[in-house]
């Protein structure tokens, strides 16, 4: 990946629900992704329950998921909170992609998290569990801003568009930080700063 190459982000949502607020948040992220990045999405529907007997030769949907994660420069995980943690669908997909031991697709990936909930904490507890998992998965999460879309029914319109301006602003900032973080981890931080300096001097 060079400075002129777009950062490829893979995004997936921890809800399979047709009218999911989190799927809608992921669509908003596609609208708000910076110009020097692209956001492709993957639907976890179709990933079967984890069975360690199959981890050496996993089902096709899991192979595809792992391959998409590997091709991506960075990840965006958008999830609801279920019973104070991440939904089983998301944990299941993470478990598959982390296995077999020594073949963890998440290894060394920059990642950003966002969540939407109908409640007042916006899925915060699920995000903190993802941060905990990131330690063993060896992912590198963006710290700030934390995007918790609280009281979700008030923040999206009937067509599922994120209409709340503050949420859009924070999500756009998170994506910008993810792209900058990814470039920094790939050693482009100094190069990028120098390019900006040249642009400023030339203007
Ligand atoms: C099994 C289950 C557990 C839930 N637990 C929580 C919870 O712990 N915290 C919370 O804020 N919302 C919880 N909710 C409500 C979700 O915020 C709400 O269903 C939300 O719409 C789910 O996200 P989605 O719209 O992307 O599917 C729960 C919902 C379900 C179905």
């Amino acid at each position: 990946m060079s400075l002129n190459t777009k950062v490829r982000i893979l995004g997936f949502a921890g809800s399979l629900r047709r009218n999911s607020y989190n799927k809608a948040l992921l669509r908003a992220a596609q609208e708000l992704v910076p110009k020097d990045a692209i956001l492709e999405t993957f639907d976890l529907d179709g990933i079967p329950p984890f069975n360690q007997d199959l981890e050496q030769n996993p089902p096709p949907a899991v192979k595809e998921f792992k391959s998409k994660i590997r091709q991506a420069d960075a990840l965006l995980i958008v999830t609801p909170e279920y019973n104070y943690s991440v939904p089983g669908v998301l944990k299941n997909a993470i478990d598959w992609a982390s296995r077999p031991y020594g073949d963890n697709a998440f290894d060394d990936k920059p990642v950003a998290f966002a969540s939407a909930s109908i409640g007042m904490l916006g899925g915060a507890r699920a995000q903190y569990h993802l941060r905990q998992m990131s330690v063993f998965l060896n992912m590198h999460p963006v710290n700030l801003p934390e995007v918790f879309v609280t009281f979700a029914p008030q923040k999206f319109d009937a067509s599922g568009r994120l209409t709340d301006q503050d949420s859009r602003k924070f999500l756009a900032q998170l994506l910008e930080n993810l792209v900058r973080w990814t470039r920094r981890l790939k050693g482009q931080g100094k190069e990028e700063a120098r390019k900006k300096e040249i642009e400023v001097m030339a203007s």
Side-chain angles (χ1 to χ4, degrees):
M1 190 183 80
S2 78
L3 250 191
N4 299 324
T5 316
K6 291 194 178 212
V7 170
R8 289 159 308 166
I9 306 170
L10 181 72
F12 48 95
S15 172
L16 306 183
R17 203 167 72 82
R18 198 179 327 111
N19 295 324
S20 157
Y21 294 115
N22 287 279
K23 282 185 180 175
L25 193 58
L26 193 53
R27 288 197 299 275
Q30 283 185 296
E31 275 177 50
L32 297 167
V33 76
K35 284 193 175 54
D36 63 337
I38 44 171
L39 172 54
E40 190 196 340
T41 61
F42 187 90
D43 199 329
L44 299 184
D45 202 1
I47 303 240
F50 179 73
N51 179 345
Q52 200 181 357
D53 290 338
L54 306 178
E55 69 176 5
Q56 297 293 340
N57 187 19
V62 174
K63 281 188 182 155
E64 190 192 352
F65 183 46
K66 288 187 76 172
S67 146
K68 298 247 176 200
I69 292 170
R70 287 222 156 90
Q71 284 162 28
D73 300 308
L75 304 175
L76 173 67
I77 305 181
V78 182
T79 188
E81 176 177 296
Y82 278 5
N83 297 313
Y84 282 22
S85 186
V86 297
V89 160
L90 177 60
K91 182 63 164 59
N92 180 62
I94 290 174
D95 290 344
W96 269 122
S98 69
R99 297 294 300 179
Y101 186 73
D103 190 29
N104 165 23
F106 297 110
D107 185 49
D108 212 24
K109 292 283 174 197
V111 62
F113 306 120
S115 56
S117 153
I118 58 172
M120 66 182 291
L121 290 184
R125 289 162 292 220
Q127 282 200 43
Y128 285 117
H129 282 185
L130 282 171
R131 286 185 185 273
Q132 189 176 332
M133 285 175 224
S134 296
V135 176
F136 190 59
L137 296 170
N138 194 33
M139 290 201 286
H140 309 301
V142 171
N143 282 332
L144 296 170
E146 294 183 294
V147 178
F148 307 125
V149 179
T150 59
F151 305 118
Q154 299 166 25
K155 310 286 170 67
F156 295 86
D157 69 14
S159 70
R161 185 170 189 276
L162 181 66
T163 47
D164 180 65
Q165 288 311 313
D166 281 344
S167 302
R168 293 182 73 84
K169 194 178 79 189
F170 286 124
L171 183 59
Q173 187 64 59
L174 178 71
L175 291 162
E176 197 182 316
N177 291 3
L178 176 63
V179 170
R180 205 180 311 141
W181 180 224
T182 303
R183 291 197 185 280
R184 249 177 89 181
L185 289 172
K186 288 184 185 275
Q188 292 181 354
K190 280 190 187 143
E191 208 185 327
E192 192 182 29
R194 179 76 189 129
K195 198 178 153 212
K196 281 220 169 96
E197 204 175 77
I198 291 167
E199 277 170 12
V200 171
M201 285 189 315
S203 64

